[in-house]
Amino acid sequence: MSRVWRLHTKPKVSVKNKLEDKIVNEFRNRKIVAVGWTLREDIYNELTNDEKIRLEKSEVLIKNDFEKYKKIIEENTYETIKGEKKIFFNGKVNVNLIRLNDLKKDDLIWIRSKGKYYLGRVTEKSHYLYAYRDSEKNSGILKLGINNQFTDIEWHEIGSESDIPGRILIAFYQKGTLIEIDEKSVLDISQIMYNKKDNYYKITNKIANNKENFYDLLSPSDCEDLLYFYLYYKYKYVAIPSTNKINTQNYEFEMLDPENRNEKIFIQVKNGHSKGANLYLENFKKTDGIVYLLTTDGNIYNTKNSKKVNQIDFKQNYEFEEIGSTKNNKKIYAINPEALYEFAKKAYEDESILMPQSILQWFEYLE
């Protein structure tokens, strides 16, 4: 079965040489995907001239043989100009390089640069290549730090952030140079998006139209917008633009009730499957206004140290449920993510309901 990967494209060498913005163009022009950990970094500049010559001769032998690259890292020692014996990378092959060599035909790889996102496919011709500096064509390889390559990748530009599914955007927030996004919905949507550019996959079906897939497609910003437009639709609450600041720790922005401008409304939204999607009531006790909380797949606890999850059944009110209050007796509500999903579906069918296209576009991929 095919897999989906996310790659950060800033090897240390390219950052040092201020060339990191050129990496993606090299990938596309050379039809490769690549990572760093070349044999011209780490201890290379400490080696004697004889040892550098010895290493450079080895580079010819490992050109298409990853096992020989591993042997140099794990077994070979080199003499430095100080008379010391050293090994490359502490004798350990980087895990990201091992993952690179685990790529299989029809695996898909997401990368980004300058606000644009690209999707590549591993082909039947793809294979490992250690691209040492043996020709004019490879003269810039060392400065870019992309010697360890996987070849014959078919790349396509997909679009800007607003065109990219939320679960993929979230993967770019995560650490790790090369990681797998191990979720079937991500694979399905990635194949569909690749197919729109290349028509390679024999795909006729869309992905299932359910709450889980819908929220996987939404970015964190989309989820904020969805809750806002729901509250606007239901109560005509309006946002105060200047309150949408990065340093607001416990809410996304403030809103006002048009029937009572002294009544403040605050929302907090978490979208995802990790612990970061959890919410804690203690964070909102000092809030001077009504609070609406939405977590699409997390839990709500009273405190960060609490192990007991607040069980919310939404029986009294399908769309939201009162789950607490602030110190000045303003209510705290939990929003039902299922109801919000149903509202988005309604907006997709009913053009009289205000809703951004960045949210509605994803129903084109849902059956």
Side-chain angles (χ1 to χ4, degrees):
M1 182 177 179
S2 302
R3 296 168 295 176
V4 181
W5 303 83
R6 188 276 294 141
L7 175 68
H8 284 313
T9 56
K10 291 187 178 181
K12 290 182 179 179
V13 174
S14 68
V15 174
K16 180 181 178 181
N17 292 317
K18 299 181 180 180
L19 295 172
E20 61 269 30
D21 288 341
K22 297 185 180 296
I23 298 292
V24 168
N25 284 338
E26 288 294 320
F27 280 11
R28 299 177 71 197
N29 292 337
R30 295 173 181 267
K31 301 185 72 173
I32 62 168
V33 61
V35 295
W37 299 284
T38 74
L39 298 177
R40 300 296 182 94
E41 53 186 304
D42 195 42
I43 66 170
Y44 179 78
N45 289 330
E46 302 177 45
L47 303 183
T48 65
N49 287 333
D50 287 344
E51 290 290 62
K52 285 181 179 179
I53 293 171
R54 172 190 164 206
L55 176 65
E56 289 161 11
K57 289 180 178 179
S58 299
E59 286 182 308
V60 179
L61 301 176
I62 66 174
K63 184 174 181 179
N64 296 113
D65 195 331
F66 180 57
E67 291 303 315
K68 290 182 179 178
Y69 170 91
K70 288 175 61 178
K71 184 176 180 180
I72 288 177
I73 302 296
E74 296 171 345
E75 300 180 16
N76 289 12
T77 60
Y78 295 87
E79 186 174 346
T80 70
I81 54 179
K82 293 183 179 180
E84 301 171 321
K85 293 288 186 179
K86 287 194 173 184
I87 56 178
F88 274 94
F89 304 113
N90 296 315
K92 296 181 180 178
V93 177
N94 191 278
V95 65
N96 295 288
L97 188 47
I98 294 174
R99 290 170 185 161
L100 180 76
N101 280 272
D102 192 37
L103 294 177
K104 301 292 191 298
K105 179 179 177 294
D106 292 336
D107 279 4
L108 295 170
I109 308 152
W110 284 96
I111 59 175
R112 70 176 178 182
S113 178
K114 299 179 181 179
K116 295 293 185 181
Y117 290 75
Y118 305 85
L119 187 57
R121 180 179 64 86
V122 180
T123 69
E124 61 277 358
K125 296 181 180 179
S126 299
H127 63 276
Y128 173 74
L129 172 68
Y130 184 83
Y132 56 93
R133 185 177 177 176
D134 63 341
S135 68
E136 185 62 31
K137 179 183 177 182
N138 288 337
S139 62
I141 287 289
L142 298 181
K143 291 182 179 180
L144 292 168
I146 54 173
N147 294 58
N148 283 294
Q149 304 177 357
F150 220 69
T151 69
D152 295 280
I153 306 296
E154 294 292 343
W155 289 108
H156 294 286
E157 180 178 330
I158 302 301
S160 58
E161 185 169 304
S162 62
D163 304 307
I164 306 304
R167 185 61 190 86
I168 293 166
L169 293 178
I170 291 172
F172 279 93
Y173 304 156
Q174 298 171 331
K175 295 181 180 180
T177 300
L178 179 63
I179 63 171
E180 181 183 358
I181 313 175
D182 189 16
E183 296 171 27
K184 187 177 185 304
S185 64
V186 175
L187 173 62
D188 291 342
I189 194 67
S190 296
Q191 288 180 332
I192 291 171
M193 298 186 89
Y194 184 91
N195 219 41
K196 289 180 71 174
K197 299 289 185 177
D198 191 273
N199 199 30
Y200 171 80
Y201 293 99
K202 302 299 184 290
I203 294 175
T204 56
N205 297 327
K206 299 179 180 181
I207 62 177
N209 192 348
N210 57 42
K211 173 174 68 74
E212 289 74 19
N213 288 342
F214 173 68
Y215 284 117
D216 277 348
L217 291 170
L218 295 192
S219 71
S221 296
D222 288 334
C223 280
E224 294 173 25
D225 291 345
L226 177 59
L227 179 53
Y228 168 72
F229 279 95
Y230 161 76
L231 293 172
Y232 174 80
Y233 177 80
K234 191 172 184 67
Y235 300 114
K236 293 297 184 271
Y237 293 160
V238 292
I240 306 175
S242 62
T243 62
N244 188 10
K245 306 294 185 182
I246 295 176
N247 61 358
T248 52
Q249 296 296 313
N250 294 326
Y251 61 90
E252 309 299 348
F253 47 79
E254 294 180 30
M255 293 178 289
L256 292 181
D257 185 339
E259 296 183 359
N260 179 6
R261 68 181 186 181
N262 295 317
E263 183 75 273
K264 294 181 179 180
I265 298 97
F266 302 87
I267 71 169
Q268 178 60 280
V269 177
K270 298 291 184 181
N271 184 26
H273 309 293
S274 67
K275 290 183 179 179
N278 294 333
L279 290 167
Y280 308 94
L281 291 182
E282 65 179 349
N283 291 337
F284 307 95
K285 291 296 184 181
K286 296 181 180 180
T287 305
D288 185 23
I290 299 171
V291 179
Y292 289 91
L293 304 179
L294 170 66
T295 174
T296 61
D297 196 47
N299 296 308
I300 299 178
Y301 299 86
N302 287 326
T303 68
K304 289 184 178 180
N305 295 324
S306 174
K307 295 182 179 179
K308 184 178 179 181
V309 176
N310 282 321
Q311 299 296 329
I312 308 167
D313 55 22
F314 298 105
K315 286 183 179 179
Q316 294 181 8
N317 188 314
Y318 176 67
E319 295 167 313
F320 54 86
E321 186 74 30
E322 182 181 344
I323 58 172
S325 61
T326 66
K327 286 186 177 180
N328 60 353
N329 295 318
K330 298 294 183 179
K331 293 180 179 180
I332 301 176
Y333 295 101
I335 295 289
N336 184 354
E338 182 73 38
L340 209 57
Y341 160 62
E342 293 295 333
F343 171 68
K345 286 201 295 183
K346 181 180 178 180
Y348 181 64
E349 299 295 336
D350 184 352
E351 292 186 1
S352 69
I353 299 175
L354 285 179
M355 186 69 66
Q357 184 60 27
S358 61
I359 295 172
L360 298 178
Q361 67 175 330
W362 299 117
F363 286 104
E364 298 177 14
Y365 298 92
L366 300 171
E367 63 179 357

